[in-house]
Amino acid sequence: MRVLGIETSCDETGVAVFDTERGLLGHCVHSQIELHAEYGGVVPELASRDHIRRLPVLVRQVLAASACTAGELDAIAYTAGPGLAGALLVGASFAESLGLSLGVPVLPVHHLEGHLLSPLLAAEPPEFPFIALLVSGGHTQLMRVIGVGEYALLGETLDDAAGEAFDKTAKLIGLGYPGGPELARLAETGHGGRFRLPRPMLHSGDLDFSFSGLKTAVLNVVSGREWQPERDAADLATDFQEAVVEVLTAKALKALEQTGLSRLVVAGGVGANRKLRQRLDSSSRRKGWKVYYPEPELCTDNGAMIAFAGARRFAAGQAGAGSFAVRVFPRWPLADLKAPGVPG
């Protein structure tokens, strides 16, 4: 089965073709960073309009790179939520229209399920069950993953997500957009230990997160009279990153210990953070646990993870709705998702 995957949940247009026998045939992602940079954040209307411009072009490019024609597609999967409503509508309307014209089934896919399953595309994929640490700009969650569509929420952020905290802290320090990757790069040049920042909920006894207090602590530093960006920014970035990494690592390892599982999957944009990967790898190795990551180019939003998630659901017997109605869910709790074959 060849599945076309379409991702338009926010500010990246992603397209991919996945073959259930040959694997990922081709994928491409267009980032809107330059488009939104002058505004310091994503402008939903601009994001939607850019998806409209880019999506048809990327589909043609990916089909050509995959040596596949539209007529050879067996199914289409698209991100139906969560995300920006206008952006989601672009991908959904394109996918449903294309599916109707080709006479192939179309499947709405949960964005977070795409991230959770993306490490299965790696050369050394994990086996079910495993613990998943999902860390991105909009989500920070710990999940127990039994199989496709079988997810149990163990803990989540009570306020800012880890990626959101990175972006907001970067803005406070004076870095450009997108701030998270810029802050991580700056942290590589700093010296830790100068600023005493909190580790929110590190010893809370549960698996929940909170990063708003850490952001406030950074605000207090940069608002002080002694703050000098040229001298202090790199060191503050280092201490901030260390605080986030320490909390994420501790909670993820606690989830493994509590559940008795030995495999940890890290997904989402923050999962590409080098410091986080180093800490998780070294800490897990001492316990005899194994950590799995998506390929670096699949950490951010992309069509490959949507095509793959759709293919796994089709292979498990789930059928498209058949009505070709355009359906999007800007707010879509992962707990509402059903396993293939489960009614409702």
Side-chain angles (χ1 to χ4, degrees), residues 91-106:
S93 58
F94 187 97
E96 296 288 359
S97 300
L98 182 59
L100 177 61
S101 68
L102 297 175
V104 300
V106 181

Side-chain angles (χ1 to χ4, degrees), residues 10 13 51 61 74 79 83 104 127 138 164-165 178 207 210 224 233 245 252 255 264 276 315 324:
C10 190
T13 311
H51 286 311
Q61 290 179 352
D74 298 297
T79 300
V104 300
E127 295 181 358
E164 185 180 7
L207 297 175
S210 171
V245 166
L264 174 67
L276 177 61
F324 300 104

Side-chain angles (χ1 to χ4, degrees), residues 31-306:
S31 173
Q32 299 177 0
I33 287 177
E34 293 185 5
L35 178 65
H36 302 289
E38 64 177 298
Y39 304 99
V42 177
V43 181
E45 177 67 16
L46 295 181
S48 301
R49 291 179 180 275
D50 197 62
H51 286 311
I52 293 172
R53 287 192 294 266
R54 305 288 180 178
L55 190 52
V57 177
L58 290 183
V59 168
R60 287 194 293 267
Q61 290 179 352
V62 170
L63 287 175
S66 304
C68 173
T69 66
E72 294 174 307
L73 294 173
D74 298 297
I76 300 172
Y78 69 91
T79 300
L84 301 176
L88 292 169
L89 283 168
V90 174
S93 58
F94 187 97
E96 296 288 359
S97 300
L98 182 59
L100 177 61
S101 68
L102 297 175
V104 300
V106 181
L107 185 68
V109 171
H110 197 293
H111 178 77
L112 300 186
E113 180 169 63
H115 276 302
L116 287 178
L117 300 181
S118 61
L120 298 177
L121 282 164
E124 186 182 352
E127 295 181 358
F128 296 116
F130 54 77
I131 295 297
L133 173 63
L134 179 59
V135 276
S136 67
H139 303 87
T140 301
Q141 297 177 325
L142 277 166
M143 310 288 299
R144 189 171 190 261
V145 180
I146 308 302
V148 177
E150 299 180 83
Y151 313 121
L153 179 65
L154 303 177
E156 62 184 339
T157 184
L158 304 181
D159 39 61
D160 291 352
E164 185 180 7
F166 262 91
D167 289 339
K168 290 181 177 179
T169 297
K171 191 171 184 177
L172 290 173
I173 293 177
L175 301 179
Y177 172 85
E182 290 294 322
L183 188 147
R185 281 190 284 270
L186 182 62
E188 298 286 340
T189 67
H191 298 86
R194 281 191 58 204
F195 300 96
R196 299 185 63 181
L197 300 179
R199 271 61 172 167
M201 300 189 71
L202 181 62
H203 304 293
S204 62
D206 54 32
L207 297 175
D208 289 328
F209 304 88
S210 171
F211 295 105
S212 63
L214 179 58
K215 178 195 64 181
T216 301
V218 172
L219 176 61
N220 291 336
V221 172
V222 301
S223 300
R225 293 183 178 180
E226 297 181 359
W227 170 253
Q228 296 183 26
E230 299 80 6
R231 180 194 66 190
D232 301 329
D235 292 345
L236 181 58
T238 300
D239 284 331
F240 170 82
Q241 179 175 256
E242 176 62 27
V244 174
V245 166
E246 184 177 341
V247 172
L248 291 175
T249 300
K251 297 280 186 171
L253 298 185
K254 186 174 182 179
L256 288 168
E257 185 176 331
Q258 287 185 354
T259 59
L261 298 178
S262 59
R263 291 179 290 272
L264 174 67
V265 160
V266 182
V270 182
N273 183 278
R274 192 176 69 86
K275 189 72 172 180
L276 177 61
R277 290 191 175 205
Q278 289 177 344
R279 188 69 55 82
L280 285 172
D281 285 340
S282 61
S283 299
S284 298
R285 195 177 301 114
R286 290 194 293 268
K287 296 281 190 176
W289 298 329
K290 175 73 173 176
V291 187
Y292 298 83
Y293 308 94
E295 300 296 339
E297 69 269 20
L298 300 183
C299 285
T300 57
D301 296 347
N302 61 86
M305 67 183 191
I306 302 304

